[in-house]
PDB file of all heavy atoms in Angstrom:
ATOM      1  N   GLY A   1     182.577 118.037  96.091  1.00  0.00           N
ATOM      2  CA  GLY A   1     183.218 117.325  97.181  1.00  0.00           C
ATOM      3  C   GLY A   1     184.625 117.823  97.469  1.00  0.00           C
ATOM      4  O   GLY A   1     185.008 117.997  98.629  1.00  0.00           O
ATOM      5  N   THR A   2     185.403 118.039  96.426  1.00  0.00           N
ATOM      6  CA  THR A   2     186.765 118.548  96.632  1.00  0.00           C
ATOM      7  C   THR A   2     186.740 119.956  97.196  1.00  0.00           C
ATOM      8  O   THR A   2     187.598 120.327  98.018  1.00  0.00           O
ATOM      9  CB  THR A   2     187.543 118.537  95.310  1.00  0.00           C
ATOM     10  OG1 THR A   2     186.792 119.244  94.301  1.00  0.00           O
ATOM     11  CG2 THR A   2     187.801 117.122  94.844  1.00  0.00           C
ATOM     12  N   GLY A   3     185.748 120.754  96.782  1.00  0.00           N
ATOM     13  CA  GLY A   3     185.632 122.106  97.334  1.00  0.00           C
ATOM     14  C   GLY A   3     185.323 122.089  98.814  1.00  0.00           C
ATOM     15  O   GLY A   3     185.908 122.858  99.597  1.00  0.00           O
ATOM     16  N   VAL A   4     184.418 121.217  99.232  1.00  0.00           N
ATOM     17  CA  VAL A   4     184.091 121.092 100.654  1.00  0.00           C
ATOM     18  C   VAL A   4     185.301 120.587 101.442  1.00  0.00           C
ATOM     19  O   VAL A   4     185.591 121.070 102.547  1.00  0.00           O
ATOM     20  CB  VAL A   4     182.888 120.149 100.840  1.00  0.00           C
ATOM     21  CG1 VAL A   4     182.653 119.856 102.318  1.00  0.00           C
ATOM     22  CG2 VAL A   4     181.635 120.764 100.217  1.00  0.00           C
ATOM     23  N   ALA A   5     186.022 119.620 100.892  1.00  0.00           N
ATOM     24  CA  ALA A   5     187.219 119.111 101.564  1.00  0.00           C
ATOM     25  C   ALA A   5     188.260 120.211 101.750  1.00  0.00           C
ATOM     26  O   ALA A   5     188.921 120.283 102.792  1.00  0.00           O
ATOM     27  CB  ALA A   5     187.808 117.951 100.760  1.00  0.00           C
ATOM     28  N   ALA A   6     188.407 121.071 100.751  1.00  0.00           N
ATOM     29  CA  ALA A   6     189.359 122.181 100.853  1.00  0.00           C
ATOM     30  C   ALA A   6     188.951 123.147 101.957  1.00  0.00           C
ATOM     31  O   ALA A   6     189.803 123.650 102.704  1.00  0.00           O
ATOM     32  CB  ALA A   6     189.456 122.910  99.520  1.00  0.00           C
ATOM     33  N   LEU A   7     187.649 123.414 102.086  1.00  0.00           N
ATOM     34  CA  LEU A   7     187.172 124.294 103.152  1.00  0.00           C
ATOM     35  C   LEU A   7     187.436 123.688 104.526  1.00  0.00           C
ATOM     36  O   LEU A   7     187.868 124.390 105.449  1.00  0.00           O
ATOM     37  CB  LEU A   7     185.677 124.555 102.973  1.00  0.00           C
ATOM     38  CG  LEU A   7     185.271 125.473 101.823  1.00  0.00           C
ATOM     39  CD1 LEU A   7     183.758 125.480 101.657  1.00  0.00           C
ATOM     40  CD2 LEU A   7     185.785 126.888 102.046  1.00  0.00           C
ATOM     41  N   LEU A   8     187.191 122.398 104.682  1.00  0.00           N
ATOM     42  CA  LEU A   8     187.417 121.740 105.969  1.00  0.00           C
ATOM     43  C   LEU A   8     188.898 121.727 106.329  1.00  0.00           C
ATOM     44  O   LEU A   8     189.274 121.951 107.484  1.00  0.00           O
ATOM     45  CB  LEU A   8     186.868 120.310 105.928  1.00  0.00           C
ATOM     46  CG  LEU A   8     185.344 120.186 105.767  1.00  0.00           C
ATOM     47  CD1 LEU A   8     184.938 118.718 105.645  1.00  0.00           C
ATOM     48  CD2 LEU A   8     184.624 120.850 106.928  1.00  0.00           C
ATOM     49  N   PHE A   9     189.750 121.466 105.335  1.00  0.00           N
ATOM     50  CA  PHE A   9     191.191 121.484 105.592  1.00  0.00           C
ATOM     51  C   PHE A   9     191.648 122.880 105.987  1.00  0.00           C
ATOM     52  O   PHE A   9     192.492 123.040 106.879  1.00  0.00           O
ATOM     53  CB  PHE A   9     191.945 121.016 104.347  1.00  0.00           C
ATOM     54  CG  PHE A   9     193.439 121.124 104.469  1.00  0.00           C
ATOM     55  CD1 PHE A   9     194.158 120.203 105.209  1.00  0.00           C
ATOM     56  CD2 PHE A   9     194.121 122.174 103.856  1.00  0.00           C
ATOM     57  CE1 PHE A   9     195.545 120.313 105.331  1.00  0.00           C
ATOM     58  CE2 PHE A   9     195.494 122.291 103.970  1.00  0.00           C
ATOM     59  CZ  PHE A   9     196.213 121.355 104.720  1.00  0.00           C
ATOM     60  N   ASN A  10     191.084 123.888 105.329  1.00  0.00           N
ATOM     61  CA  ASN A  10     191.476 125.263 105.626  1.00  0.00           C
ATOM     62  C   ASN A  10     191.109 125.652 107.055  1.00  0.00           C
ATOM     63  O   ASN A  10     191.806 126.438 107.697  1.00  0.00           O
ATOM     64  CB  ASN A  10     190.800 126.216 104.635  1.00  0.00           C
ATOM     65  CG  ASN A  10     191.359 127.617 104.735  1.00  0.00           C
ATOM     66  OD1 ASN A  10     192.559 127.822 104.628  1.00  0.00           O
ATOM     67  ND2 ASN A  10     190.497 128.579 104.940  1.00  0.00           N
ATOM     68  N   ALA A  11     190.012 125.096 107.564  1.00  0.00           N
ATOM     69  CA  ALA A  11     189.608 125.391 108.937  1.00  0.00           C
ATOM     70  C   ALA A  11     190.643 124.915 109.953  1.00  0.00           C
ATOM     71  O   ALA A  11     190.731 125.446 111.058  1.00  0.00           O
ATOM     72  CB  ALA A  11     188.253 124.743 109.232  1.00  0.00           C
ATOM     73  N   LEU A  12     191.451 123.920 109.572  1.00  0.00           N
ATOM     74  CA  LEU A  12     192.459 123.388 110.482  1.00  0.00           C
ATOM     75  C   LEU A  12     193.752 124.203 110.469  1.00  0.00           C
ATOM     76  O   LEU A  12     194.508 124.163 111.435  1.00  0.00           O
ATOM     77  CB  LEU A  12     192.775 121.929 110.110  1.00  0.00           C
ATOM     78  CG  LEU A  12     191.597 120.953 110.136  1.00  0.00           C
ATOM     79  CD1 LEU A  12     192.038 119.577 109.656  1.00  0.00           C
ATOM     80  CD2 LEU A  12     190.989 120.862 111.535  1.00  0.00           C
ATOM     81  N   VAL A  13     194.011 124.922 109.374  1.00  0.00           N
ATOM     82  CA  VAL A  13     195.286 125.631 109.253  1.00  0.00           C
ATOM     83  C   VAL A  13     195.148 127.143 109.361  1.00  0.00           C
ATOM     84  O   VAL A  13     196.158 127.842 109.451  1.00  0.00           O
ATOM     85  CB  VAL A  13     195.965 125.286 107.909  1.00  0.00           C
ATOM     86  CG1 VAL A  13     196.196 123.796 107.796  1.00  0.00           C
ATOM     87  CG2 VAL A  13     195.140 125.790 106.731  1.00  0.00           C
ATOM     88  N   ILE A  14     193.937 127.648 109.370  1.00  0.00           N
ATOM     89  CA  ILE A  14     193.754 129.092 109.309  1.00  0.00           C
ATOM     90  C   ILE A  14     194.301 129.791 110.549  1.00  0.00           C
ATOM     91  O   ILE A  14     194.827 130.901 110.468  1.00  0.00           O
ATOM     92  CB  ILE A  14     192.267 129.437 109.097  1.00  0.00           C
ATOM     93  CG1 ILE A  14     192.109 130.923 108.772  1.00  0.00           C
ATOM     94  CG2 ILE A  14     191.440 129.047 110.302  1.00  0.00           C
ATOM     95  CD1 ILE A  14     190.713 131.300 108.340  1.00  0.00           C
ATOM     96  N   THR A  15     194.205 129.151 111.713  1.00  0.00           N
ATOM     97  CA  THR A  15     194.745 129.762 112.925  1.00  0.00           C
ATOM     98  C   THR A  15     196.239 129.524 113.066  1.00  0.00           C
ATOM     99  O   THR A  15     196.917 130.273 113.779  1.00  0.00           O
ATOM    100  CB  THR A  15     194.023 129.218 114.167  1.00  0.00           C
ATOM    101  OG1 THR A  15     194.129 127.786 114.184  1.00  0.00           O
ATOM    102  CG2 THR A  15     192.546 129.600 114.137  1.00  0.00           C
ATOM    103  N   LYS A  16     196.778 128.497 112.421  1.00  0.00           N
ATOM    104  CA  LYS A  16     198.214 128.214 112.507  1.00  0.00           C
ATOM    105  C   LYS A  16     199.012 129.103 111.568  1.00  0.00           C
ATOM    106  O   LYS A  16     200.080 129.601 111.915  1.00  0.00           O
ATOM    107  CB  LYS A  16     198.473 126.739 112.186  1.00  0.00           C
ATOM    108  CG  LYS A  16     197.810 125.759 113.141  1.00  0.00           C
ATOM    109  CD  LYS A  16     198.398 125.860 114.539  1.00  0.00           C
ATOM    110  CE  LYS A  16     197.775 124.813 115.451  1.00  0.00           C
ATOM    111  NZ  LYS A  16     198.340 124.903 116.832  1.00  0.00           N
ATOM    112  N   TYR A  17     198.512 129.255 110.359  1.00  0.00           N
ATOM    113  CA  TYR A  17     199.211 130.086 109.378  1.00  0.00           C
ATOM    114  C   TYR A  17     198.313 131.264 109.007  1.00  0.00           C
ATOM    115  O   TYR A  17     198.456 132.334 109.544  1.00  0.00           O
ATOM    116  CB  TYR A  17     199.582 129.263 108.141  1.00  0.00           C
ATOM    117  CG  TYR A  17     200.391 130.070 107.151  1.00  0.00           C
ATOM    118  CD1 TYR A  17     201.701 130.424 107.428  1.00  0.00           C
ATOM    119  CD2 TYR A  17     199.823 130.498 105.951  1.00  0.00           C
ATOM    120  CE1 TYR A  17     202.436 131.183 106.534  1.00  0.00           C
ATOM    121  CE2 TYR A  17     200.546 131.247 105.059  1.00  0.00           C
ATOM    122  CZ  TYR A  17     201.850 131.590 105.348  1.00  0.00           C
ATOM    123  OH  TYR A  17     202.570 132.339 104.474  1.00  0.00           O
ATOM    124  N   GLY A  18     197.397 131.053 108.120  1.00  0.00           N
ATOM    125  CA  GLY A  18     196.319 131.999 107.867  1.00  0.00           C
ATOM    126  C   GLY A  18     196.699 133.430 107.566  1.00  0.00           C
ATOM    127  O   GLY A  18     195.976 134.349 107.952  1.00  0.00           O
ATOM    128  N   ARG A  19     197.836 133.658 106.907  1.00  0.00           N
ATOM    129  CA  ARG A  19     198.174 135.031 106.525  1.00  0.00           C
ATOM    130  C   ARG A  19     197.329 135.431 105.323  1.00  0.00           C
ATOM    131  O   ARG A  19     197.425 134.851 104.257  1.00  0.00           O
ATOM    132  CB  ARG A  19     199.665 135.152 106.227  1.00  0.00           C
ATOM    133  CG  ARG A  19     200.525 134.954 107.461  1.00  0.00           C
ATOM    134  CD  ARG A  19     201.940 135.457 107.249  1.00  0.00           C
ATOM    135  NE  ARG A  19     202.704 135.377 108.488  1.00  0.00           N
ATOM    136  CZ  ARG A  19     202.704 136.320 109.424  1.00  0.00           C
ATOM    137  NH1 ARG A  19     201.975 137.406 109.260  1.00  0.00           N
ATOM    138  NH2 ARG A  19     203.421 136.179 110.519  1.00  0.00           N
ATOM    139  N   ARG A  20     196.512 136.438 105.524  1.00  0.00           N
ATOM    140  CA  ARG A  20     195.481 136.790 104.555  1.00  0.00           C
ATOM    141  C   ARG A  20     196.055 137.164 103.196  1.00  0.00           C
ATOM    142  O   ARG A  20     195.621 136.669 102.155  1.00  0.00           O
ATOM    143  CB  ARG A  20     194.632 137.950 105.076  1.00  0.00           C
ATOM    144  CG  ARG A  20     193.582 137.592 106.128  1.00  0.00           C
ATOM    145  CD  ARG A  20     194.180 137.098 107.400  1.00  0.00           C
ATOM    146  NE  ARG A  20     193.227 137.079 108.496  1.00  0.00           N
ATOM    147  CZ  ARG A  20     193.352 136.298 109.542  1.00  0.00           C
ATOM    148  NH1 ARG A  20     194.368 135.435 109.607  1.00  0.00           N
ATOM    149  NH2 ARG A  20     192.489 136.347 110.529  1.00  0.00           N
ATOM    150  N   ARG A  21     197.041 138.055 103.173  1.00  0.00           N
ATOM    151  CA  ARG A  21     197.583 138.543 101.906  1.00  0.00           C
ATOM    152  C   ARG A  21     198.262 137.419 101.129  1.00  0.00           C
ATOM    153  O   ARG A  21     198.075 137.282  99.919  1.00  0.00           O
ATOM    154  CB  ARG A  21     198.567 139.686 102.150  1.00  0.00           C
ATOM    155  CG  ARG A  21     197.923 140.941 102.710  1.00  0.00           C
ATOM    156  CD  ARG A  21     198.959 141.969 103.089  1.00  0.00           C
ATOM    157  NE  ARG A  21     199.631 142.490 101.915  1.00  0.00           N
ATOM    158  CZ  ARG A  21     200.934 142.480 101.752  1.00  0.00           C
ATOM    159  NH1 ARG A  21     201.724 141.937 102.654  1.00  0.00           N
ATOM    160  NH2 ARG A  21     201.478 143.008 100.671  1.00  0.00           N
ATOM    161  N   VAL A  22     199.063 136.614 101.816  1.00  0.00           N
ATOM    162  CA  VAL A  22     199.791 135.539 101.148  1.00  0.00           C
ATOM    163  C   VAL A  22     198.839 134.488 100.608  1.00  0.00           C
ATOM    164  O   VAL A  22     198.948 134.039  99.456  1.00  0.00           O
ATOM    165  CB  VAL A  22     200.817 134.904 102.110  1.00  0.00           C
ATOM    166  CG1 VAL A  22     201.499 133.709 101.452  1.00  0.00           C
ATOM    167  CG2 VAL A  22     201.852 135.936 102.543  1.00  0.00           C
ATOM    168  N   MET A  23     197.875 134.079 101.439  1.00  0.00           N
ATOM    169  CA  MET A  23     196.953 133.027 101.027  1.00  0.00           C
ATOM    170  C   MET A  23     196.081 133.471  99.863  1.00  0.00           C
ATOM    171  O   MET A  23     195.927 132.751  98.868  1.00  0.00           O
ATOM    172  CB  MET A  23     196.078 132.600 102.206  1.00  0.00           C
ATOM    173  CG  MET A  23     196.866 132.075 103.398  1.00  0.00           C
ATOM    174  SD  MET A  23     197.724 130.520 103.061  1.00  0.00           S
ATOM    175  CE  MET A  23     196.450 129.344 103.413  1.00  0.00           C
ATOM    176  N   MET A  24     195.515 134.674  99.955  1.00  0.00           N
ATOM    177  CA  MET A  24     194.619 135.139  98.895  1.00  0.00           C
ATOM    178  C   MET A  24     195.371 135.422  97.607  1.00  0.00           C
ATOM    179  O   MET A  24     194.894 135.099  96.509  1.00  0.00           O
ATOM    180  CB  MET A  24     193.864 136.377  99.369  1.00  0.00           C
ATOM    181  CG  MET A  24     192.874 136.096 100.487  1.00  0.00           C
ATOM    182  SD  MET A  24     191.991 137.570 101.058  1.00  0.00           S
ATOM    183  CE  MET A  24     190.977 137.914  99.622  1.00  0.00           C
ATOM    184  N   THR A  25     196.552 136.011  97.697  1.00  0.00           N
ATOM    185  CA  THR A  25     197.342 136.260  96.495  1.00  0.00           C
ATOM    186  C   THR A  25     197.744 134.953  95.829  1.00  0.00           C
ATOM    187  O   THR A  25     197.664 134.806  94.602  1.00  0.00           O
ATOM    188  CB  THR A  25     198.595 137.081  96.833  1.00  0.00           C
ATOM    189  OG1 THR A  25     198.211 138.303  97.473  1.00  0.00           O
ATOM    190  CG2 THR A  25     199.368 137.423  95.566  1.00  0.00           C
ATOM    191  N   SER A  26     198.167 133.970  96.632  1.00  0.00           N
ATOM    192  CA  SER A  26     198.512 132.659  96.081  1.00  0.00           C
ATOM    193  C   SER A  26     197.308 132.008  95.418  1.00  0.00           C
ATOM    194  O   SER A  26     197.421 131.386  94.363  1.00  0.00           O
ATOM    195  CB  SER A  26     199.055 131.753  97.186  1.00  0.00           C
ATOM    196  OG  SER A  26     200.196 132.319  97.797  1.00  0.00           O
ATOM    197  N   GLY A  27     196.144 132.155  96.042  1.00  0.00           N
ATOM    198  CA  GLY A  27     194.933 131.591  95.468  1.00  0.00           C
ATOM    199  C   GLY A  27     194.588 132.188  94.121  1.00  0.00           C
ATOM    200  O   GLY A  27     194.228 131.470  93.172  1.00  0.00           O
ATOM    201  N   PHE A  28     194.723 133.505  94.002  1.00  0.00           N
ATOM    202  CA  PHE A  28     194.429 134.148  92.720  1.00  0.00           C
ATOM    203  C   PHE A  28     195.445 133.757  91.653  1.00  0.00           C
ATOM    204  O   PHE A  28     195.104 133.651  90.467  1.00  0.00           O
ATOM    205  CB  PHE A  28     194.394 135.669  92.883  1.00  0.00           C
ATOM    206  CG  PHE A  28     193.078 136.178  93.389  1.00  0.00           C
ATOM    207  CD1 PHE A  28     192.976 136.769  94.632  1.00  0.00           C
ATOM    208  CD2 PHE A  28     191.938 136.059  92.618  1.00  0.00           C
ATOM    209  CE1 PHE A  28     191.760 137.238  95.103  1.00  0.00           C
ATOM    210  CE2 PHE A  28     190.715 136.515  93.075  1.00  0.00           C
ATOM    211  CZ  PHE A  28     190.624 137.111  94.323  1.00  0.00           C
ATOM    212  N   ILE A  29     196.687 133.531  92.051  1.00  0.00           N
ATOM    213  CA  ILE A  29     197.692 133.084  91.085  1.00  0.00           C
ATOM    214  C   ILE A  29     197.340 131.700  90.553  1.00  0.00           C
ATOM    215  O   ILE A  29     197.353 131.456  89.340  1.00  0.00           O
ATOM    216  CB  ILE A  29     199.093 133.081  91.727  1.00  0.00           C
ATOM    217  CG1 ILE A  29     199.553 134.522  91.997  1.00  0.00           C
ATOM    218  CG2 ILE A  29     200.095 132.368  90.817  1.00  0.00           C
ATOM    219  CD1 ILE A  29     200.862 134.608  92.755  1.00  0.00           C
ATOM    220  N   VAL A  30     197.005 130.773  91.466  1.00  0.00           N
ATOM    221  CA  VAL A  30     196.656 129.411  91.049  1.00  0.00           C
ATOM    222  C   VAL A  30     195.389 129.412  90.203  1.00  0.00           C
ATOM    223  O   VAL A  30     195.324 128.764  89.143  1.00  0.00           O
ATOM    224  CB  VAL A  30     196.489 128.499  92.273  1.00  0.00           C
ATOM    225  CG1 VAL A  30     196.013 127.115  91.848  1.00  0.00           C
ATOM    226  CG2 VAL A  30     197.800 128.390  93.044  1.00  0.00           C
TER     227      VAL A  30
END
């Protein structure tokens, strides 16, 4: 459920911010 919620939230911000390198690098760090 939390994984699905994260995907839905990401759909709302991907066009506003959505910088690929920053987001993916931050994700791998976390």
Side-chain angles (χ1 to χ4, degrees):
T2 53
V4 172
L7 287 172
L8 295 176
F9 175 77
N10 190 55
L12 301 176
V13 302
I14 191 171
T15 56
K16 298 294 183 180
Y17 184 71
R19 293 196 174 274
R20 282 65 166 156
R21 294 173 68 235
V22 175
M23 301 294 274
M24 292 179 69
T25 303
S26 301
F28 277 114
I29 291 174
V30 175

